[in-house]
Amino acid sequence: MDTQISFAPPRGMRDFYPEDMLLRERLFDTWRAAARRFSFSPYDACVVESLDLLKRKSGEEIVEQIYSFADKSGRELALRAEMTPTLARMIAARQGSLRFPLKWYAIAQCFRYERMTRGRKREHYQWNLDIVGEESVLAEVEVLSAAVSAISELGLKPSDYKIHFNNRALLSEIFAKIGIETRYHAAAFLAMDKRGKIPNEEIECSLRQQGLPSEAASSVLSLINITSLDEVKKQLGNETPALKRMQDFQNAADAAGISGTLVFDLSVVRGLSYYTGMVFEAFDTDRKFRAIFGGGRYDNLLGDIGAKPMTAVGLGFGDVVIAELLNEKGKNLANCRTTDIAIGYMTTEQSQLAVRIATALRNAGHNVDLRLTPEKPRSFFSYAGSGVAAEAIFIGPDEQSSGILKIKNLSDGTQRAAAINDLLGICANRRNPDE
Ligand code: HAM
């Protein structure tokens, strides 16, 4: 006997019922509008990538989480876990003809076989904003400003979240100053990123296993006590290229009006190994959730896949954490009515008239919910009044014979009369304004 098929999606995957889609569409619309405000161009790509590209060009942590499979010809493929390697591949394919710097955005569906926690799913959507081919810190400020603009459009206040930023190049300078050889820097970055996630003893032990002398391993971890750029300056002793860049970044962020959301945080390193410069992660102020978004500057990715080396900066902003945070703050994105007018009718005699009115209104740009079977007024108004639409029109034999109907405002119950012919005529005129 066949076993019952589960009605739940595969573990960690997501179904979007209409109420979920309303929220998702509002979020995507807000992301798209912010991207347009900052003049980013849209792009998209296949969800299935070659496993090789993802394995070689994603961060270590992500590689372990890749959903991979072989196609029927034995090609090793994977569902993308992030968009950045794909972006690099697309740019590499047209590097000779594209105009740089370029500013691109995408809303990418990503898959990661992760341990699921609050705010972490195995499938998520990620708004990606990237600027490729621009060295100036204005590029960092531009992607961050676009993200800030979207967050504010979503209804969050600057006090609801903070963007923690750091610079891997600055950390490298500090590592060098405390005597850690360049060959250990990558391991030291990952150690910083693991802080707070796994016990310090484990991090130190792993650093020692990778060849770092014990003293150096513990000094890497003690860096976390540095909480301001002034302390970094003291540690480094003099002005360095990375310090200068941090200063330029802060000045530009000031001019863009986003410095109030920024916090210098030496512990932000990012798990992805391709970052080379500024890195950032945004968190809710109460630190209840995982990162709202994260990103940074990555200078080697294009060169690493065999293209002409080019600097780039970008961020990924997921749909899951922001939805939880908005919910926590009582902002209901899904709470928006999309239908203007509901139309019902009493008997089949009025159905054609109802269809004509609905058609005229739709042609005039209104969103209309036309009932598909005759019904009693009570049943129609009980449906239409349940938050479905802003206004309602009910057509019975009386309206049909008199040629006058009532448009009811469903919020305050007031009614206004309208001649059916006028309504059809006005709508027809609005449809063809040039005629
Ligand atoms: P990421 O930090 O791995 O960066 O992901 C960016 C954001 O995607 C996270 O801050 C989070 O909002 C969301 N996210 C990631 N994984 C999950 C998950 N399992 N469930 C729910 N949300 C998730 C990157 O992916 C980089 N490629 C971003 C980037 C673009 N860097 C440069 N350009």
Side-chain angles (χ1 to χ4, degrees):
M1 210 175 82
D2 283 348
T3 47
Q4 167 82 49
I5 290 175
S6 164
F7 295 143
R11 192 163 157 70
M13 301 296 150
R14 300 155 78 192
D15 289 330
F16 291 85
Y17 283 85
E19 62 272 22
D20 309 314
M21 275 309 280
L22 266 182
L23 188 149
R24 190 174 112 184
E25 303 228 305
R26 278 286 298 281
L27 180 62
F28 286 15
D29 286 348
T30 309
W31 281 343
R32 285 193 197 99
R36 281 195 291 267
R37 232 174 354 263
F38 285 77
S39 200
F40 283 79
S41 305
Y43 74 100
D44 204 354
C46 39
V47 176
V48 173
E49 262 296 353
S50 96
L51 179 60
D52 194 37
L53 175 81
L54 296 192
K55 258 185 162 166
R56 284 199 288 162
K57 294 306 150 213
S58 295
E60 287 72 12
E61 210 174 70
I62 289 186
V63 167
E64 289 162 22
Q65 301 163 348
I66 290 176
Y67 274 91
S68 58
F69 57 96
D71 73 4
K72 290 186 198 299
S73 309
R75 282 182 203 92
E76 296 218 292
L77 301 172
L79 299 179
R80 67 177 170 224
E82 55 163 339
M83 197 62 167
T84 315
T86 300
L87 171 73
R89 178 180 63 68
M90 285 174 68
I91 288 175
R94 297 211 179 157
Q95 206 172 12
S97 57
L98 290 168
R99 250 176 85 181
F100 296 96
L102 58 76
K103 295 167 69 176
W104 283 7
Y105 83 91
I107 298 175
Q109 191 180 16
C110 300
F111 298 86
R112 297 182 187 182
Y113 195 81
E114 292 208 63
R115 200 171 58 80
M116 287 186 291
T117 54
R118 196 173 179 194
R120 289 277 130 169
K121 301 206 184 288
R122 292 189 175 159
E123 176 201 346
H124 74 281
Y125 285 86
Q126 207 187 83
W127 182 37
N128 276 249
L129 290 168
D130 287 87
I131 302 183
V132 181
E134 179 52 66
E135 282 187 4
S136 157
V137 285
L138 287 188
E140 272 89 345
V141 172
E142 192 82 339
V143 289
L144 289 174
S145 301
V148 166
S149 170
I151 291 182
S152 123
E153 277 298 305
L154 291 169
L156 292 182
K157 297 191 293 295
S159 54
D160 290 331
Y161 69 98
K162 285 280 168 283
I163 302 169
H164 296 242
F165 71 98
N166 188 17
N167 187 342
R168 280 193 178 199
L170 187 73
L171 261 185
S172 282
E173 287 174 354
I174 303 175
F175 289 159
K177 186 82 184 176
I178 60 174
I180 294 166
E181 291 173 51
T182 317
R183 61 189 164 126
Y184 296 127
H185 287 192
F189 285 148
L190 284 181
M192 296 285 284
D193 184 61
K194 291 277 171 290
R195 281 202 50 128
K197 297 177 191 162
I198 56 174
N200 280 358
E201 300 72 51
E202 244 175 75
I203 304 176
E204 263 192 78
C205 175
S206 135
L207 280 172
R208 282 197 304 272
Q209 278 168 359
Q210 294 180 67
L212 242 82
S214 308
E215 210 178 300
S218 48
S219 48
V220 166
L221 294 181
S222 68
L223 287 178
I224 220 69
N225 300 323
I226 297 182
T227 54
S228 74
L229 264 176
D230 283 339
E231 288 170 68
V232 175
K233 269 180 210 153
K234 263 192 224 140
Q235 177 99 25
L236 290 174
N238 53 5
E239 188 73 80
T240 65
L243 265 177
K244 161 89 175 62
R245 205 169 162 81
M246 294 296 258
Q247 195 54 60
D248 292 347
F249 168 73
Q250 283 185 312
N251 293 343
D254 238 353
I258 60 164
S259 51
T261 60
L262 293 173
V263 180
F264 172 66
D265 182 346
L266 206 59
S267 72
V268 171
V269 190
R270 311 270 299 133
L272 303 172
S273 55
Y274 48 65
Y275 295 111
T276 50
M278 200 77 95
V279 278
F280 31 77
E281 267 171 1
F283 292 96
D284 60 294
T285 312
D286 302 334
R287 292 301 287 260
K288 280 199 182 157
F289 302 98
R290 311 284 295 257
I292 304 168
F293 68 74
R297 187 168 283 271
Y298 49 104
D299 283 346
N300 303 332
L301 192 52
L302 275 153
D304 283 353
I305 64 165
K308 198 171 119 226
M310 207 170 238
T311 185
V313 61
L315 61 82
F317 185 146
D319 65 329
V320 181
V321 175
I322 190 71
E324 297 223 4
L325 181 56
L326 287 166
N327 191 30
E328 162 105 359
K329 298 283 173 197
K331 315 268 173 213
N332 186 358
L333 283 195
N335 190 13
C336 64
R337 206 175 17 233
T338 54
T339 300
D340 304 325
I341 307 166
I343 299 181
Y345 49 93
M346 186 101 83
T347 72
T348 47
E349 309 268 291
Q350 291 92 46
S351 71
Q352 284 200 20
L353 179 57
V355 172
R356 280 175 55 219
I357 293 174
T359 305
L361 287 169
R362 284 168 177 160
N363 286 342
H366 296 285
N367 298 339
V368 177
D369 183 0
L370 171 67
R371 299 292 277 165
L372 304 176
T373 46
E375 64 195 318
K376 297 240 157 34
R378 179 199 279 264
S379 139
F380 169 72
F381 283 107
S382 136
Y383 165 76
S386 64
V388 170
E391 293 184 315
I393 293 173
F394 188 78
I395 310 164
D398 291 350
E399 284 79 12
Q400 189 174 26
S401 60
S402 69
I404 304 286
L405 48 71
K406 292 191 193 86
I407 303 174
K408 182 169 181 179
N409 180 320
L410 292 166
S411 319
D412 59 17
T414 55
Q415 306 199 97
R416 63 195 154 91
I420 291 174
N421 282 343
D422 283 355
L423 196 64
L424 294 173
I426 287 166
C427 293
N429 288 341
R430 277 174 66 176
R431 178 178 40 166
N432 299 313
D434 295 331
E435 278 174 16

